[in-house]
Amino acid sequence: MDAAAEVFRQRGYAATSVDNLVEATGVHRGSLYGAFGSKHGLFMRALDAVDTTRDPASRLDLALIGLLELAPGDPHVRERIAGVLEAHDITEEQLGRRLLTRAGLPRSGGPT
Amino acid sequence: MDAAAEVFRQRGYAATSVDNLVEATGVHRGSLYGAFGSKHGLFMRALDAVDTTRDPASRLDLALIGLLELAPGDPHVRERIAGVLEAHDITEEQLGRRLLTRAGLPRSGGPT
DNA sequence: GTCATTCAAGAACGATCGATCAAGTACCCA
DNA sequence: TGGGTACTTGATCGATCGTTCTTGAATGAC
C-alpha cells in the first residue's frame, strides 16, 4: 500500500500504469482488482495511507496529484483531500512550495 | 493554439489525447505533428502562448500542470516554467491558491 | 479420501494511446 | 500549360492502457 502511494507520488495518477503498481507492490493484477476494484479505488486507499503517514512530503505530493489530476472532476476525491488538508492544517503556501520543490524549482518569484 | 492550451489546462497533460487536441483546434493529426513534432512540443508552445496571455488563471493552470506532470523529469519544461513564474512574479501562495480553486476547494486550513 | 471453495497468477481482451505515412489536392513559377 | 513542390487529410501502425477471466494449486470440512 505504501509502495503504491509511493508510485503514484512519483509518477502522477494518469502516468502510473497498473503494471507499475503490480511491479511496485508485488501484488498481482487479479488480486489488486479483487481488493480495490480499480486503479481509482487504489488511489483512494493511497490517500488514506498518506493521511496517517509521518512523512509530510508524501502527504503533500499525493494531495497535489489528487487535486490537480482528479479533484476537478471527481467530488469523492475532492472531499477526501479536503479532509486531509484540514486535518493537517495544510496551507496554500505549503502546497505551492512543495509543488516547486518536487518539480526541482525551490525558488519562486519571492522577495529580492 | 489558444484552444490547445485550453484543453491542456482543463484536462491535464497525460489525460489529454491527441484526438482531444485535433478536435479542439480543428487542425488535423498530420498537420499537428508537422507543426509541433509531438504532443510534448505542442505543450511547450502552449506554455509560450499563456506566457503572453492576459488571463492569469490560464497561465497559472498551465504552469501547475507543467510543474506537476512534466517538470520533475523534464528540465526543458522546468526551465521554461521557471521563466514564466519569474516574469509574472508568481508566488508559491498564488500557485497553491489556484490549485485549490481549480480543484473546487477555495478554502484551505487558513486562520479561523 | 474426496469434494467444494478460495485465492494467487498471468494470459488475453477491446479500446485507445502517440506517432507515421501514403494518397490526394491545390498551387506556383517557368 | 505543364511539372514539381508543399500541404492537407485520415487511415493505419505497434505499443500500451485499464480491466476481466481462465487456470491451477492450496486449504478445510466431513
Side-chain angles (χ1 to χ4, degrees), chain B residues 63-91:
Chain B
L64 286 172
I65 286 162
L67 284 170
L68 196 107
E69 295 193 50
L70 261 21
D74 184 333
H76 201 182
V77 168
R78 179 158 62 237
E79 289 170 24
R80 185 74 192 80
I81 294 184
V84 172
L85 296 182
E86 193 167 342
H88 298 275
D89 277 325
I90 296 173
T91 66

Side-chain angles (χ1 to χ4, degrees), chain A:
Chain A
M1 188 68 258
D2 294 321
E6 184 68 17
V7 177
F8 277 130
R9 179 194 167 192
Q10 289 179 0
R11 309 180 57 101
Y13 180 78
T16 295
S17 71
V18 177
D19 276 338
N20 295 144
L21 295 166
V22 167
E23 187 178 356
T25 60
V27 179
H28 293 262
R29 236 180 175 65
S31 311
L32 221 77
Y33 276 86
F36 304 109
S38 68
K39 179 183 173 185
H40 182 270
L42 182 46
F43 184 80
M44 293 296 289
R45 290 293 299 269
L47 277 178
D48 293 341
V50 296
D51 196 358
T52 61
T53 188
R54 49 238 154 304
D55 179 9
S58 293
R59 187 156 48 230
L60 281 170
D61 283 354
L62 217 64
L64 286 171
I65 286 163
L67 283 171
L68 195 106
E69 296 192 49
L70 261 21
D74 185 333
H76 200 182
V77 168
R78 179 158 63 237
E79 288 170 24
R80 186 72 193 80
I81 294 185
V84 173
L85 297 182
E86 193 167 342
H88 298 274
D89 278 322
I90 295 173
T91 67
E92 294 153 351
E93 194 189 356
Q94 282 178 278
L95 287 170
R97 174 141 45 224
R98 176 63 198 159
L99 178 65
L100 291 177
T101 302
R102 197 183 95 102
L105 285 176
R107 46 180 36 209
S108 79
T112 320

Side-chain angles (χ1 to χ4, degrees), chain B residues 9-102:
Chain B
R9 181 195 166 192
Q10 290 179 0
R11 308 180 57 101
Y13 180 78
T16 295
S17 72
V18 177
D19 276 337
N20 294 145
L21 295 166
V22 166
E23 187 179 355
T25 61
V27 180
H28 294 261
R29 230 179 179 68
S31 311
L32 222 83
Y33 276 87
F36 304 108
S38 67
K39 179 183 173 185
H40 182 270
L42 182 48
F43 184 79
M44 292 297 288
R45 290 292 301 268
L47 276 178
D48 293 341
V50 297
D51 196 357
T52 61
T53 188
R54 48 238 151 305
D55 180 9
S58 293
R59 187 156 48 231
L60 282 171
D61 282 354
L62 217 63
L64 286 172
I65 286 162
L67 284 170
L68 196 107
E69 295 193 50
L70 261 21
D74 184 333
H76 201 182
V77 168
R78 179 158 62 237
E79 289 170 24
R80 185 74 192 80
I81 294 184
V84 172
L85 296 182
E86 193 167 342
H88 298 275
D89 277 325
I90 296 173
T91 66
E92 294 153 351
E93 194 188 357
Q94 282 177 279
L95 287 170
R97 174 141 47 223
R98 177 64 198 158
L99 177 65
L100 291 177
T101 302
R102 196 184 96 102

